[in-house]
């Protein structure tokens, strides 16, 4: 019984965290995405399939209520959940593994996200990342180069922040989450 309730709580908390992050990014136009902390958190605890599900549901909700643009990036959030779950679920979680996973996930999400951005939006999306892309274009670079440079930079910063936030949440609630047999090292 407790396992099922905690599972539901993690799922809802993760989706809520992602939606809130997307909302905050949209209001303040941060040059970060902030839409995958919950995806990463759930994938670390519950595995790649649940992380992917959280990512998909997040982008469906934010696509309806915040920006239709988010529908197209659902595949990126799904892939973040799968990659994170494969790399960290049932593995030792420490700063070294978190950093390595953040690098891998940022590269994968940057490549896929930039392909979506260039194909559907000509490389310039809404929000803070689109502003960075436009700034690089104004400095004389082409659209594909600008989109990939802005995407790589912002994805790396975003994923480092997101993985550290997810690790911090797990660390804070490790007693409650102990039924999932997490292997956390300081």
């Amino acid at each position: 019984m407790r396992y099922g309730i905690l599972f539901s709580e993690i799922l809802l908390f993760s989706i809520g965290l992602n939606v809130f992050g997307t909302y905050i990014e949209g209001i303040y136009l941060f040059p970060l995405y902030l839409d995958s902390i919950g995806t990463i958190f759930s994938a670390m605890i519950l595995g790649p399939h649940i992380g992917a599900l959280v990512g998909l549901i997040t982008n469906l909700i934010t696509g309806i209520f915040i920006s239709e643009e988010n529908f197209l990036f659902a595949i990126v959030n799904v892939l973040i959940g799968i990659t994170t779950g494969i790399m960290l679920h049932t593995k030792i979680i420490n700063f070294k593994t978190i950093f390595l996973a953040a690098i891998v996930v940022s590269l994968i999400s940057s490549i896929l996200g930039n392909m979506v951005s260039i194909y559907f939006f000509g490389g310039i999306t809404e929000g803070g990342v689109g502003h960075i892309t436009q700034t690089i274009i104004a400095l004389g670079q082409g659209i594909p180069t600008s989109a990939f440079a802005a995407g790589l930079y912002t994805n790396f910063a975003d994923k480092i922040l997101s993985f550290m936030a997810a690790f911090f949440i797990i660390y804070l609630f490790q007693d409650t989450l102990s039924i999932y047999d997490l292997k956390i090292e300081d």
Side-chain angles (χ1 to χ4, degrees):
M1 176 72 173
R2 178 70 184 135
Y3 181 82
I5 292 171
L6 185 58
F7 178 87
S8 299
E9 290 170 348
I10 291 169
L11 202 64
L12 292 173
F13 173 75
S14 298
I15 294 167
L17 191 59
N18 283 351
V19 170
F20 179 72
T22 304
Y23 177 73
I24 293 297
E25 187 279 331
I27 288 176
Y28 296 108
L29 300 177
F30 291 135
L32 301 170
Y33 305 102
L34 304 177
D35 66 346
S36 60
I37 298 170
T39 303
I40 292 165
F41 173 73
S42 62
M44 289 168 69
I45 297 170
L46 303 173
H49 298 95
I50 301 303
L53 180 65
V54 166
L56 178 63
I57 292 171
T58 295
N59 282 70
L60 293 177
I61 291 170
T62 59
I64 292 168
F65 294 108
I66 297 175
S67 171
E68 291 178 359
E69 180 178 286
N70 291 325
F71 286 126
L72 298 171
F73 289 96
I75 188 67
V76 178
N77 216 342
V78 166
L79 200 56
I80 290 169
I82 291 170
T83 306
T84 301
I86 289 170
M87 291 186 73
L88 295 176
H89 181 62
T90 70
K91 311 281 190 312
I92 293 174
I93 301 171
N94 57 32
F95 286 113
K96 181 180 174 183
T97 57
I98 292 285
F99 187 74
L100 178 63
I103 290 172
V104 171
V105 169
S106 68
L107 287 173
I108 291 170
S109 59
S110 180
I111 291 167
L112 186 57
N114 287 327
M115 288 171 40
V116 169
S117 170
I118 290 169
Y119 185 78
F120 289 103
F121 305 104
I124 301 171
T125 57
E126 298 174 354
V129 178
H131 294 303
I132 292 174
T133 304
Q134 290 173 337
T135 301
I136 297 171
I137 291 169
L139 294 173
Q141 297 298 315
I143 291 174
T145 303
S146 300
F148 273 98
L152 189 61
Y153 164 75
T154 54
N155 264 296
F156 182 70
D158 178 71
K159 297 312 172 273
I160 292 291
L161 177 69
S162 297
F163 272 90
M164 294 308 290
F167 178 75
F168 182 69
I169 295 167
I170 289 171
Y171 191 79
L172 283 178
F173 296 104
Q174 63 184 321
D175 291 338
T176 304
L177 299 171
S178 64
I179 64 172
Y180 290 106
D181 195 31
L182 299 171
K183 299 171 180 89
I184 301 172
E185 291 182 355
D186 293 330

